[in-house]
Amino acid sequence: MSATLRFDNIGKVFPGVRALDGVSFDVNAGEVHGLMGENGAGKSTLLKVLGGEYQPDSGRVMIDGKEVRFSSAAASIAAGIAVIHQELQYVPDLTVAENLLLGRLPNALGWVDKRGAQRFVRERLAAMGVDLDPNAKLGRLSIAQRQMVEICKALLRNARVIALDEPTSSLSHRETEVLFKLVRDLKVDGRALVYISHRMDEIYELCDSCTIFRDGRKVASHHSLHEVPRETLVSEMVGREITDIYDYRPREHGAVRLAVDGIEGRGLSAPVSFEVHAGEILGFFGLVGAGRSELMRLVYGAEKKRGGRLSLDGRAISVKSPGQAIRQGIVLCPEDRKEEGIVALASVAENINISCRRHDLRAGLFLDRAKEAETADRFIKLLKIKTPHRKQRIRLLSGGNQQKAILSRWLAEPDLKVVILDEPTRGIDVGAKHEIYNVIYELAERGCAVVMISSELPEVLGVSDRIVVMREGRISGEVVREKASEAALLSLALPQGTRSEQEVPREAA
């Protein structure tokens, strides 16, 4: 009996890069097949071949034993294939219902039947256990909600082959549980699923089998995944042994570097105060929607404050825009790197130099191209950014390498004092995470105050010196590293109605 989906010796070459090199594996009906590998290993490229965005230079894609060739994404969809990409693809000015039914909206005599579309979507979302308003404009939803819309869009097509690329990277715990149930239901229904994730727990919980990619090649396949130790998968992915991904490095902390006193604004339900010391890594944990990103945007001047004061090294400062923040040594790596972090059509070098170039203008007017080239090459080497050259457009890099370029942008700043990292390792592989954690430690060791938002409990516990927990737009507690545990943080993060008083720590630190 033929496999539902077969990749047979797939090859794909881009200028200067062999993205896929002889990749072969099968996915059967009723199977969830995991794909793992470092950023840039070729996983997303393979899904784009399956989805008709790229055509392979060699090899065959086969469905039910028959070779298929897709000239477009529409052809792939028509063949019963749904691909949910890591970089979301939506129309922000359309509603949830319109995005879900884009290209196949119900109509009567040439007029769109909006009520019919809303009714259909509402019924299907309810059946899937997804809480979304069909009338809401997508551009006004959170990243997690937009991600859920993309997932539901694929499921509504009733596809036989479904591929998901980092589907939980922006989802809350509850939304992740909904997704897992949907994946299990699809498996029972006989669908063939390909699942990409850098989260080892997800792979072991959902997948029956697994293929490991490295540098565009398949290096291993495991048909009985649960017989394979985690250390084996990590070693196969990165080509080396990583015993402790966090590799925490203790250090001395200096005086208070940034003090936030009674800040108020959109997304907060009460005035918020906190401080972070020079050389300290301050973690911020909370459920999606707790107000962590909104708080940091207020600090950074990306959102207008309604009240509160900021002090830097004991001196009151005014931050009314990101430009003012940067000039005072405060920088932010945003959660949504595609929308707010990178300049997609610019090169890797331009993205790295875009902020620090103001320090290197010749005669105050002209760009110093040689200096910018030297800066870009230095950080490409330092952070091991996988790119054929510094002139490559950054949108062609994997998400993890884009994130490294954003980090390089701020590392190139000569007077860095406070670094705010919002989900710095979202959608990033274990090897790249390890490298980014080392960068975070190095920033702290040179005296920077580092604020790190993370929704991953092991990460925030593994890297932080002290952890602030937010719930429903306010700070619910604070825990020092020595007393931090998953139970303590979750108890502070969960809504009060979902936990008993006995579960709440009496002392925050």
Side-chain angles (χ1 to χ4, degrees):
M1 182 176 172
S2 300
T4 299
L5 170 65
R6 170 170 290 174
F7 293 106
D8 181 21
N9 203 34
I10 299 294
K12 183 64 182 176
V13 178
F14 298 105
V17 179
R18 181 172 290 278
L20 295 171
D21 188 0
V23 172
S24 300
F25 64 90
D26 296 348
V27 185
N28 297 307
E31 177 186 11
V32 183
H33 190 97
L35 288 189
M36 300 191 73
E38 293 189 279
N39 292 105
K43 307 180 302 296
S44 296
T45 300
L46 186 69
L47 293 199
K48 289 181 178 180
V49 169
L50 177 63
E53 295 181 53
Y54 297 154
Q55 282 70 51
D57 296 321
S58 60
R60 303 177 297 169
V61 178
M62 305 183 75
I63 304 292
D64 295 328
K66 298 179 180 179
E67 182 177 356
V68 293
R69 285 192 171 271
F70 304 129
S71 59
S72 65
S76 174
I77 292 168
I81 294 170
V83 179
I84 302 163
H85 295 287
Q86 182 180 357
E87 300 296 346
L88 305 184
Q89 299 173 345
Y90 56 87
V91 184
D93 292 329
L94 295 183
T95 66
V96 169
E98 289 166 337
N99 270 275
L100 289 175
L101 298 175
L102 198 61
R104 53 195 187 98
L105 283 161
N107 65 85
L109 300 176
W111 296 90
V112 173
D113 182 4
K114 290 187 177 182
R115 288 185 180 179
Q118 291 164 6
R119 183 170 59 253
F120 173 77
V121 167
R122 185 175 284 108
E123 290 172 354
R124 294 302 299 270
L125 291 178
M128 287 188 270
V130 177
D131 183 19
L132 285 170
D133 178 6
N135 297 318
K137 290 285 183 71
L138 218 68
R140 297 177 183 174
L141 301 183
S142 68
I143 295 176
Q145 290 170 317
R146 296 177 210 167
Q147 182 101 28
M148 211 64 200
V149 170
E150 284 294 292
I151 293 165
C152 292
K153 186 191 300 181
L155 300 183
L156 284 175
R157 292 174 183 153
N158 202 31
R160 293 182 58 243
V161 176
I162 301 172
L164 303 97
D165 191 353
E166 294 289 347
T168 65
S169 61
S170 298
L171 300 187
S172 68
H173 178 70
R174 182 193 169 280
E175 289 163 328
T176 297
E177 288 183 335
V178 171
L179 172 67
F180 283 8
K181 181 181 182 301
L182 292 173
V183 169
R184 293 187 183 105
D185 290 346
L186 290 166
K187 174 183 171 180
V188 170
D189 198 36
R191 316 295 176 90
L193 295 106
V194 178
Y195 193 94
I196 294 179
S197 179
H198 294 304
R199 296 177 177 176
M200 202 75 70
D201 289 343
E202 290 184 11
I203 293 293
Y204 275 95
E205 185 168 348
L206 288 179
C207 298
D208 307 292
S209 54
C210 182
T211 292
I212 310 297
F213 278 35
R214 189 166 72 238
D215 298 327
R217 298 182 178 90
K218 183 187 83 171
V219 295
S221 278
H222 301 286
H223 300 293
S224 298
L225 180 59
H226 295 280
E227 298 176 2
V228 183
R230 297 185 179 214
E231 295 77 13
T232 299
L233 295 187
V234 173
S235 177
E236 289 170 344
M237 283 171 57
V238 302
R240 64 189 187 280
E241 185 177 354
I242 297 179
T243 54
D244 180 5
I245 183 177
Y246 304 111
D247 196 18
Y248 175 75
R249 300 190 330 220
R251 76 210 75 80
E252 294 294 325
H253 302 162
V256 172
R257 171 131 284 178
L258 175 69
V260 177
D261 182 19
I263 198 167
E264 298 178 81
R266 189 173 69 88
L268 302 182
S269 59
V272 171
S273 301
F274 70 92
E275 58 186 35
V276 55
H277 295 247
E280 182 182 25
I281 301 170
L282 178 64
F284 266 78
F285 179 72
L287 305 181
V288 173
R292 299 163 301 160
S293 297
E294 291 82 355
L295 170 61
M296 296 310 158
R297 289 176 63 83
L298 291 167
V299 171
Y300 188 57
E303 294 283 351
K304 187 176 181 180
K305 295 181 284 292
R306 291 199 296 266
R309 296 180 297 277
L310 302 178
S311 298
L312 188 65
D313 293 330
R315 178 177 57 85
I317 60 171
S318 174
V319 177
K320 295 181 179 179
S321 69
Q324 278 189 324
I326 293 167
R327 285 191 290 274
Q328 297 183 84
I330 302 172
V331 302
L332 169 70
C333 291
E335 176 186 14
D336 191 340
R337 58 177 168 258
K338 180 181 177 183
E339 295 290 334
E340 300 176 340
I342 63 169
V343 181
L345 295 179
S347 68
V348 175
E350 288 170 314
N351 272 274
I352 292 173
N353 283 285
I354 197 168
S355 176
C356 69
R357 65 178 20 154
R358 70 187 191 281
H359 300 290
D360 300 317
L361 293 174
R362 289 183 291 140
L365 295 172
F366 305 103
L367 297 178
D368 188 337
R369 297 293 186 185
K371 174 68 175 176
E372 292 199 355
E374 185 275 328
T375 298
D377 289 341
R378 178 159 52 95
F379 284 106
I380 288 170
K381 181 178 180 180
L382 181 67
L383 270 68
K384 301 177 184 176
I385 299 173
K386 291 183 180 178
T387 178
H389 45 73
R390 62 175 177 269
K391 294 182 180 180
Q392 177 81 313
R393 287 190 177 184
I394 197 168
R395 67 179 180 84
L396 299 176
L397 270 56
S398 68
N401 287 298
Q402 290 176 1
Q403 188 78 332
K404 289 181 184 180
I406 297 170
L407 279 171
S408 298
R409 177 188 304 163
W410 302 129
L411 291 172
E413 282 285 339
D415 302 314
L416 206 53
K417 295 179 180 177
V418 180
V419 181
I420 302 170
L421 305 170
D422 194 348
E423 303 287 2
T425 65
R426 180 170 71 87
I428 290 178
D429 65 78
V430 63
K433 282 184 178 182
H434 185 68
E435 293 165 1
I436 287 175
Y437 297 148
N438 282 327
V439 171
I440 292 173
Y441 297 140
E442 288 166 11
L443 283 167
E445 285 163 0
R446 76 188 216 193
C448 291
V450 180
V451 178
M452 185 187 75
I453 296 173
S454 178
S455 299
E456 293 191 37
L457 265 174
E459 178 172 84
V460 79
L461 287 166
V463 176
S464 306
D465 301 308
R466 183 165 52 96
I467 302 164
V468 172
V469 182
M470 292 191 69
R471 182 182 70 236
E472 298 172 342
R474 65 180 68 201
I475 289 177
S476 58
E478 179 183 305
V479 186
V480 295
R481 180 180 182 84
E482 293 74 18
K483 296 183 179 181
S485 67
E486 291 196 9
L489 297 191
L490 281 173
S491 180
L492 289 167
L494 289 170
Q496 289 179 314
T498 65
R499 58 202 176 117
S500 65
E501 287 298 317
Q502 288 75 20
E503 292 176 311
V504 183
R506 293 296 179 186
E507 296 183 7

